[in-house]
Every structure is written in C-alpha cells, then in structure tokens.
C-alpha cells in the first residue's frame, strides 16, 4: 500500500470515529473525496481492510455493506447523560431556528434597503419634483390670468368633433381589420408578413391607443 493510500485509510478511520454514525463506502467516498483523493475502489478496499482488522464494524444489508466505528472504544454513557445531551441538542436546535429566522428577516430588510433611494438620490428627486411643481404653478397662474377663456359652447363643439373623429377612426379600423382577415384566409404567410408587404401600419406600430368616446 502506498503512503498516499495509508494516509487515506487513516483519514477514513478518523472520519468514522469522529462522526460515529453508519456510512456506506459510497458515502465515505463522496464525503472525503477532496480530502484524501482516493478513488472509489481504493475507498472500498480500505474500509474492508479496516473491518478485517477489527478497527471498524461492518454490517451487510442485502447487497449493501454499512460501516461504523467500533463502539467498544467509546465510554459508556448513562441515561442521565443522554437526557442531558438530548436537552442540549434541543436547546441548540431552537437557537439555530431563532438565528435562521433573524437572518431571513435581516435579508429581507437588506433587500428593501438596497431597493430604496439613497439620501443623495432622494434629495435630487425632491429638487426635480419641486422644479416640476414650480412649472405647473406658473402654467396655472397663466391660465388663471388669461382673458381668452374657452366658452362652454366652444368646449362642447370640440367634444362633439372629437367624438365624430373617434367614431370614424373606429369604423375605418374595423373595416380594415375585416378586409385583412378575409385576405389572410387564403394568404400563405403570416399576418405580420402581409402587413409589411402591403405597407400597412397599425395603431400598435405607432404605440397609439384609440381613446374612449
């Protein structure tokens, strides 16, 4: 056995004694692959060797072998000590849960802070809004001081003309839509290709939305 393999065997033995829980050869290979650098076959042979030497124990379950530390090397633990250990484990588990919850809360707060404006950005935005408000006030003052106000009759006339134009717009759009639909029934290409070839521009192309009447 090479020095590297001997060191790997020692690492496997130390690992099983430290963890003191059952593992398969695959588990040990996966967990110690980076540390000992042994291949799976070498790990299997090393664990079989340790079992033959009585340094670890082996149990066979069907086709699988399970290995674990020799329990005779550990001191006996009384029921009182086991209860104390269980209580400590429960205490640490509760502490871990509390810390995890605090971490999640802090992560949420951090994301909110990262998404918020900085003090400098807020000051700049306030200045922009103040300038915008100032401009609106000037426009409002000009409107209030203007002498050429629109009369109710003129306003009503404009609304009626707008209504007429919108109705005509909707009518013509419906006609074109129907015509294009009829053509597309026998057209071999897509609607988009037809509109491009026919040079037809839609409201959507110009990002125009038909107003409601």
């Amino acid at each position: 056995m090479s020095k590297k393999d001997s060191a790997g065997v020692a690492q496997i033995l130390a690992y099983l004694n430290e963890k003191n829980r059952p593992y398969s050869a695959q588990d040990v290979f996966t967990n110690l692959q980076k540390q000992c650098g042994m291949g799976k076959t070498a790990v299997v042979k090393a664990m079989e060797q340790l079992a033959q030497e009585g340094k670890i124990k082996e149990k066979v379950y069907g086709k699988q072998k399970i290995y674990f530390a020799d329990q005779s090397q550990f001191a006996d633990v009384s029921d009182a000590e086991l209860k104390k250990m269980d209580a400590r484990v429960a205490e640490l588990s509760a502490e871990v849960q509390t810390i995890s919850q605090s971490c999640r809360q802090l992560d949420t707060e951090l994301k909110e802070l990262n998404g918020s404006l900085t003090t400098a950005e807020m000051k700049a935005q306030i200045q922009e809004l103040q300038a915008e408000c100032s401009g609106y006030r000037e426009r409002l003052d000009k409107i209030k001081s203007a002498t050429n106000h629109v009369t109710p009759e003129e306003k009503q006339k404009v609304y009626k003309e707008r209504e007429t134009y919108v109705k005509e717009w909707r009518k013509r759009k419906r006609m074109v839509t129907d015509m294009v639909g009829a053509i597309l029934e026998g057209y071999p290409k897509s609607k988009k290709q037809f509109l491009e070839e026919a040079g037809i521009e839609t409201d959507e192309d110009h990002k125009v939305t038909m107003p409601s009447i």
Side-chain angles (χ1 to χ4, degrees):
M1 183 180 292
S2 66
K3 291 183 178 180
K4 180 180 178 181
D5 289 342
S6 297
V9 171
Q11 279 186 304
I12 292 173
L13 177 60
Y15 179 76
L16 291 175
N17 287 334
E18 177 190 355
K19 299 301 181 182
N20 194 20
R21 55 165 293 181
Y23 286 105
S24 67
Q26 177 64 47
D27 294 332
V28 174
F29 167 70
T30 302
N31 297 340
L32 296 182
Q33 187 175 11
K34 293 182 179 179
Q35 290 93 319
C36 65
M38 297 175 66
K40 183 178 178 181
T41 302
V43 170
V44 172
K45 289 182 178 179
M47 297 184 73
E48 288 177 347
Q49 175 187 332
L50 288 170
Q52 290 172 1
E53 294 174 355
K55 295 179 179 179
I56 63 174
K57 297 298 181 181
E58 174 188 276
K59 290 287 184 182
V60 180
Y61 296 95
K63 295 182 179 180
Q64 188 175 28
K65 292 182 179 181
I66 299 298
Y67 300 90
F68 52 92
D70 182 6
Q71 300 301 303
S72 63
Q73 64 183 307
F74 302 114
D76 293 335
V77 181
S78 65
D79 290 341
E81 288 176 320
L82 287 174
K83 289 181 180 178
K84 185 177 180 180
M85 290 179 184
D86 289 340
R88 181 58 178 162
V89 169
E91 180 183 343
L92 291 174
S93 297
E95 185 177 348
V96 168
Q97 186 175 359
T98 301
I99 293 174
S100 298
Q101 186 174 357
S102 298
C103 288
R104 287 194 294 270
Q105 184 176 352
L106 289 173
D107 285 339
T108 302
E109 293 177 1
L110 180 60
K111 289 179 181 178
E112 291 177 355
L113 289 173
N114 288 335
S116 303
L117 296 175
T118 63
T119 302
E121 290 172 338
M122 292 180 68
K123 288 182 178 179
Q125 192 174 74
I126 289 173
Q127 290 178 350
E128 291 178 4
L129 292 173
Q130 287 176 338
E132 189 175 348
C133 288
S134 178
Y136 286 140
R137 288 196 189 96
E138 291 180 3
R139 289 179 60 187
L140 181 60
D141 291 339
K142 289 180 181 179
I143 292 173
K144 288 182 177 179
S145 60
T147 56
N148 57 341
H149 292 296
V150 179
T151 64
E153 290 77 13
E154 291 174 328
K155 183 178 179 181
Q156 186 64 28
K157 181 181 177 182
V158 170
Y159 281 151
K160 286 186 177 181
E161 289 179 352
R162 175 182 178 276
E163 182 178 346
T164 300
Y165 293 143
V166 171
K167 286 182 178 179
E168 187 64 23
W169 182 358
R170 182 175 286 109
K171 177 182 176 182
R172 294 188 180 189
K173 183 174 183 178
R174 188 183 301 112
M175 290 173 59
V176 172
T177 300
D178 293 342
M179 290 174 62
V180 169
I183 293 172
L184 288 176
E185 290 181 0
Y187 191 70
K189 299 181 182 179
S190 66
K191 179 180 179 181
K192 182 179 180 181
Q193 290 175 314
F194 169 73
L195 294 177
E196 289 177 354
E197 292 178 0
I200 300 175
E201 297 180 347
T202 65
D203 295 342
E204 291 74 15
D205 292 335
H206 294 277
K207 298 181 180 180
V208 176
T209 303
M210 184 181 299
S212 58
I213 298 176

